[in-house]
Each structure stands twice: as C-alpha cells, then as structure tokens.
Amino acid sequence: MTTIATTPFDDQKPGTSGLRKKVPVFSQPHYAENFIQSVFDSLDDYAGKTLVIGGDGRYLNRTVIQTAIKMAAANGFGKVMVGKGGILSTPAASNMIRKYQAFGGIILSASHNPGGPNEDFGIKYNTGNGGPAPEKITDAIFERSKLIDRYRISEAPDVPLDEIGIYTVDDMEVEVFDPVADYAELMEELFDFDTIRTFLANGFEIAFDAMSAVTGPYAKEILENRLGAPEGTVRNFTPLEDFGGHHPDPNLVHAKELYDEVMSEGGPAFGAASDGDGDRNMVVGKGIFITPSDSLAVLAANAHLAPAYKGGLAGIARSMPTSQAADRVAEKLGIGAYETPTGWKFFGNLLDAGKATLCGEESFGTGSNHVREKDGLWAVLLWLNILAMRGESAYDIVKSHWAEYGRNYYSRHDYEGIDTDAANGLMDALRDKLETLPGTTFGELTVAEADDFAYHDPVDGSVSKKQGVRIMFESGSRVVFRLSGTGTSGATLRVYLEHYEPDPAKHDQDTQETLAELIAYAEHIAGIVARTGRTEPTVIT
Ligand code: G16
C-alpha cells in the first residue's frame, strides 16, 4: 500500500447520475483516483466492510476496476465483490449490494452515452440500500474533490477478472462472481416464468436489442435460456468496449432498426432494448411505440398480474418531467403519487420508506422496490408477464388504457451540445419571467401556474431547488425546461411537452402535430432559436 500525493481537479462535481466525462479527461494521471478517494473520504465506518464493484464494460472499465479494487484495499475495506470480466449491470449491482448487505458499490458507467477512447466514461457511488448516493453524499464528494491532496492505493498485482474465484489484495478479499446468476434468480422470484414460457412457446415472438452493451449476457440467460425464447431473440448480446460504435441509447433514434423490425409485416409482436448499463428500457409493440411515461402508467395499472405485485402497490413515483399519466392510475387505485426531481437517487427514500412500489422516468427508466435502480430487463419481463396474463397485444392494452384514463400526448425535444452560457442564459431568462406568466395566453393556451420545481423530500425533509422550469396551462398541458445533468460536452437543453386528451376519438393523432401549439409556445417563451442558434432539436423522443 502506498500514499500518493495529488492536487485537486476542479470539475469533479457529480451530475444527475455520478461523474461523467470524456475518456481523455478520466485518463489524466490521478483523475479517477482523486474521485474514488473523494468518495471514500466522504464515507464513514466502512473499515472491514464489503464494496461491490462493476461496470458496463465500456472502454476504461477494466483499468478503473483494477484501480478501484486496489484503492478499496488500501483504504481498509474488508472485501470487494466484482463481476466477472468487470461486468455488472446497474440494476444487478444494486441487487448485489442489497443481497449481500454490502456497505456500498462503485458502478463504472456513462449509461447510454457512447463509449471508446474518445467517448464517455463515468463513476457512480451507490449506498448500502443499493441506490445512487443522495445529494448529501454527492455534495460531500464534490467538496472533498476540491481539497484532496493524497490518495491511497495498493501496489498489489491486478486481480484476474476473468476467472470466478476468491483472491486477495493485501489483506482484503476479492470475490470475482458470475454477474448474471443472482439477478436472474431475483427475476424468477418476481415474475411468473412458467406463464411467460408457455406464452412464448405458443408463438408470441419477441426481439431484444442489447445494443452491444451490458444486458446481453443477462438477456441471453433470462429470455433465451430460462424462458425458452428462440436463439437469436437477443441481438447484439456481446458487450463491446465501444458498443460497436453506436450509442447504447434505447430510443427511436438509436434503436430504430429494432423498431422498424417490430413494425414490419411478419416482424415480432414485441420488441425491447436496453442501454449501456442495463437500467433503461424501450418497449415497442406491433403498431405502437410505448412512451416511457405511458409504460409506467400501464405497468402500474397492471402490475397486480405479476406475482411480486399481486398484493397491490403502495404508491407510484415519477420524476417531474415525466408525463402525468401515472398520477391518474394512482388516483384510481387510491394510492400515493409522488413527483420527484430528475435522478433515480430521489426515489430511494420513497422506496425505503415503503411509500412507493413503482417508479418511472420519461428518460426510458422504470423500476420497482426490488432494487434501488431503474431496471431495463425487469421492465421487459413485467411487460411480458402482463401480456401473457392478458392475452392481448401491447397495442390493445395501451389503447384500452388510454380509453380508460385518457391519453397524455408526450414528447421531449433535446438540444444537445449547445453553448453552456447560452443555455444558462435561457434558463435564467425563463426564471425571471415566472412570476408574470400566470394568466397570460398564447393561442388556445392560458398559463395557470409557473415555477422552478423544488422538491421537499417527504421522508428526510431535504429540499432540492432549481430542478426545472414548469409552465402549466389551464387545460392540464405542460411545458418543462431543464438542462441535462448527464452530458459531457457543452449543455443539453431538454424541453418536455405534454398535452392531455380525454376523448378516445382523438387518441390516434400524430404526437408532434398534437403538441404543435405547445412547441410554438416553448419557442415563443424561451427564444430557443435566437439564444442557441438551433432551428430544430437534435433528438426528439
Ligand atoms: C440518469 C438518471 C435518470 C435521469 C437521466 C437523464 O439516467 O439516473 O434519473 O432521468 O439520467 O438525466 P438528465 O436529464 O439530467 O440528462 P442514466 O440512465 O443516464 O443513468
């Protein structure tokens, strides 16, 4: 073990989900070490305890895993559990932390962002409940990173990551484990595998795109080996360091091939994709793309059909920009509905306190109290369990959901890589207008309320301010503006648009056309073109 002198970097503030930077930034001498030591320095009483380490397999994963193991040893952890090959999906990491009562975990991922020598990397710390560290801890990590002057690291040789077994690094034990087994077992406990197996055997054809990312081995084992889906159901199942040059981002832009296949005549009835680290999901049924917001609402309304949720849900939580569709389900079920800031870390307290059972976000994330992360494959399996039990197509299930609850037309427009000052200026100007907006009109729209969302955590009383500008109209429509906290170059402006339509006769309209007036309003109020120089969004989901 040795102590290395270092100097602080000034850019180690964790974002929405840990620290994400370009690989050349992370590759600077001491950069990853400084951050990991700042994490350890922000924690108490971990001596002799267990740390789970894993990542999504992207470029730099193996290097930083070895570093993290050696630093854990030098800092006094008793044991590290690391996924074979350094592979561990984010939900599987959460499960390992919980199941083996680890002190916490380090997850190496930049999620859906591309990977490779010039692309993105990330480090995130999860606490003993299996969830992303709350703001209290991420703030402490950032403060520490600004002062750090040394880190501790073992000089032991690398651990053989590709061989399952027990090793030692100085006095610390290192267990290299099968990253899939415990997770697959958990899924078998939650869902009715027999019913799903029969449903698939009877000819319900599915396709799963693992996007050359971490869910490949999990989806192969669960969908093909345990549920009997034919070989070839899971595509792009080998995790690659650069995700095959693609963005491992399951949406209509980056998973378009899968979408087109499901929509084609003779194509599968249901398709799904997951992201770089396995926590996001996209689901499409023949004839219908299911927005993440709708997916949360439909899953919540039907969750009782799966064994894990047959006793009902305690409550449903969604991030603020997520459509309000799930709130209507909560209201009908007579259970709590919670609106949190963007970031899965805000769901942790609600789940721990038993206030919420299902959580979801517009950013292709859905999950439940089975772990403390969103979970891509879990969402796919819950969909399959519901499809198998109802014996209807995804299209029919969603259509009947809209008929019952009304449809929340929803879209997100992203302006990626814009100038940071321009983005901050746009948000500041919006904030300056908030007080005067109520009562103003634009076409058919009248502003009812406008604010900068602040969250008061009902469990620990903490307050998180400035979480996004919300403009709510008398009709129930909304426009929300936020800056992303996960990008690695410039700023990303997100504009979230939502229109509620109760009339089933109007449920087959084009989404962008239906939202046209809100889109025009967003430009009118924020001056996006003038401030950013962009005439259209980079990505529309
Ligand atoms: C992370 C967070 C999510 C968040 C998403 C987008 O997901 O865990 O809670 O919704 O980023 O955040 P932003 O809008 O700030 O970019 P992931 O899948 O990237 O870890």
Side-chain angles (χ1 to χ4, degrees):
M1 170 192 142
T2 175
T3 299
I4 310 268
T6 187
T7 49
F9 292 89
D10 62 4
D11 63 347
Q12 298 200 324
K13 185 174 170 51
T16 309
S17 185
L19 184 69
R20 290 187 190 165
K21 299 283 175 195
K22 293 281 177 212
V23 166
V25 175
F26 260 110
S27 303
Q28 297 172 85
H30 311 310
Y31 193 89
E33 290 87 344
N34 271 21
F35 187 72
I36 294 168
Q37 188 66 53
S38 299
V39 170
F40 293 159
D41 288 351
S42 307
L43 307 173
D44 294 317
D45 301 329
Y46 56 74
K49 299 198 174 139
T50 299
L51 185 70
V52 171
I53 301 180
D56 63 11
R58 69 178 58 225
Y59 188 85
L60 220 58
N61 193 48
R62 284 172 170 269
T63 312
V64 179
I65 282 185
Q66 297 289 359
T67 302
I69 292 171
K70 291 173 194 175
M71 289 184 66
N75 278 278
F77 277 93
K79 178 174 178 178
V80 157
M81 297 180 75
V82 58
K84 183 181 171 206
I87 291 290
L88 197 53
S89 81
T90 292
S94 185
N95 181 46
M96 293 302 290
I97 295 169
R98 294 168 66 75
K99 185 167 178 179
Y100 296 98
Q101 288 157 16
F103 182 83
I106 288 184
I107 302 176
L108 307 176
S109 169
S111 186
H112 54 292
N113 296 4
N118 291 307
E119 297 295 354
D120 293 2
F121 189 73
I123 304 182
K124 179 167 87 151
Y125 177 71
N126 280 30
T127 54
N129 73 346
E135 276 189 330
K136 191 171 72 210
I137 295 181
T138 55
D139 289 348
I141 295 170
F142 180 46
E143 290 310 314
R144 181 64 195 145
S145 76
K146 292 192 274 192
L147 302 171
I148 191 156
D149 58 2
R150 55 95 191 100
Y151 61 83
R152 294 190 202 97
I153 190 160
S154 160
E155 290 175 324
D158 282 359
V159 169
L161 282 181
D162 295 312
E163 295 297 325
I164 288 177
I166 307 280
Y167 306 93
T168 50
V169 170
D170 299 338
D171 294 336
M172 186 185 78
E173 181 179 312
V174 178
E175 179 181 348
V176 177
F177 63 88
D178 172 358
V180 174
D182 291 279
Y183 179 84
E185 195 180 295
L186 174 65
M187 293 301 116
E188 288 220 37
E189 284 164 21
L190 299 175
F191 300 113
D192 184 346
F193 270 38
D194 288 341
T195 298
I196 300 174
R197 199 179 295 113
T198 307
F199 180 61
L200 297 179
N202 287 342
F204 188 82
E205 198 189 330
I206 63 170
F208 183 91
D209 188 350
M211 304 191 88
S212 306
V214 81
T215 40
Y218 296 86
K220 268 267 176 206
E221 172 62 20
I222 293 170
L223 298 176
E224 294 187 6
N225 295 350
R226 299 199 185 196
L227 288 170
E231 208 180 323
T233 297
V234 181
R235 290 97 198 263
N236 303 315
F237 54 81
T238 306
L240 301 176
E241 288 199 329
D242 67 349
F243 309 115
H246 299 292
H247 288 230
D249 194 355
N251 61 29
L252 290 182
V253 177
H254 299 294
K256 187 160 186 314
E257 219 173 277
L258 177 91
Y259 172 83
D260 288 344
E261 196 185 335
V262 175
M263 294 307 148
S264 70
E265 210 179 304
F270 185 78
S274 196
D275 72 331
D277 61 331
D279 55 3
R280 296 186 175 204
N281 75 92
M282 178 185 90
V283 286
V284 287
K286 189 160 288 301
I288 192 162
F289 162 69
I290 304 163
T291 68
S293 296
D294 275 344
S295 181
L296 172 65
V298 173
L299 292 178
N302 293 280
H304 60 278
L305 298 173
Y309 312 103
K310 68 173 187 295
L313 308 177
I316 309 169
R318 64 168 174 84
S319 66
M320 180 273 282
T322 303
S323 100
Q324 298 160 99
D327 301 6
R328 296 179 186 279
V329 177
E331 195 182 353
K332 183 147 192 187
L333 293 174
I335 58 176
Y338 300 90
E339 185 175 37
T340 63
T342 294
W344 204 264
K345 60 190 171 213
F346 292 102
F347 293 133
N349 279 347
L350 297 171
L351 293 165
D352 285 351
K355 288 182 178 293
T357 310
L358 291 204
C359 306
E361 295 189 282
E362 50 66 39
S363 55
F364 294 81
T366 345
S368 86
N369 58 355
H370 68 291
V371 288
R372 293 294 179 274
E373 289 278 6
K374 55 189 186 277
D375 189 343
L377 260 174
W378 167 90
V380 175
L381 291 168
L382 181 52
W383 263 103
L384 289 177
N385 205 147
I386 291 167
L387 287 162
M389 291 295 287
R390 285 186 54 155
E392 292 165 72
S393 68
Y395 179 89
D396 287 340
I397 290 175
V398 175
K399 290 284 283 190
S400 65
H401 185 94
W402 290 340
E404 186 174 351
Y405 295 93
R407 176 173 179 185
N408 291 67
Y409 281 95
Y410 186 86
S411 183
R412 187 176 99 185
H413 289 197
D414 290 339
Y415 298 80
E416 294 176 349
I418 58 177
D419 178 72
T420 305
D421 290 340
N424 288 329
L426 183 149
M427 291 302 293
D428 288 344
L430 278 173
R431 289 192 182 101
D432 289 345
K433 287 182 193 167
L434 288 176
E435 261 180 43
T436 57
L437 284 183
T440 57
T441 59
F442 180 86
E444 303 279 299
L445 301 166
T446 303
V447 177
E449 280 175 77
D451 67 4
D452 192 353
F453 182 61
Y455 179 59
H456 298 257
D457 187 306
V459 180
D460 67 11
S462 60
V463 180
S464 304
K465 293 184 177 160
K466 293 181 86 167
Q467 296 294 329
V469 165
R470 300 191 289 184
I471 303 177
M472 291 154 288
F473 301 95
E474 284 177 356
S475 58
S477 293
R478 293 195 311 175
V479 179
V480 173
F481 297 87
R482 261 188 83 242
L483 297 184
S484 159
T486 55
T488 55
S489 48
T492 294
L493 170 68
R494 303 206 194 284
V495 184
Y496 309 84
L497 306 136
E498 177 180 359
H499 166 80
Y500 179 63
E501 179 52 70
D503 181 0
K506 295 182 182 162
H507 284 171
D508 287 322
Q509 297 169 176
D510 177 78
T511 297
Q512 299 304 320
E513 279 169 24
T514 307
L515 297 173
E517 191 163 46
L518 289 168
I519 295 168
Y521 179 83
E523 171 55 28
H524 161 77
I525 202 70
I528 301 169
V529 178
R531 285 183 177 274
T532 69
R534 299 290 177 83
T535 50
E536 53 186 46
T538 329
V539 179
I540 295 179
T541 49

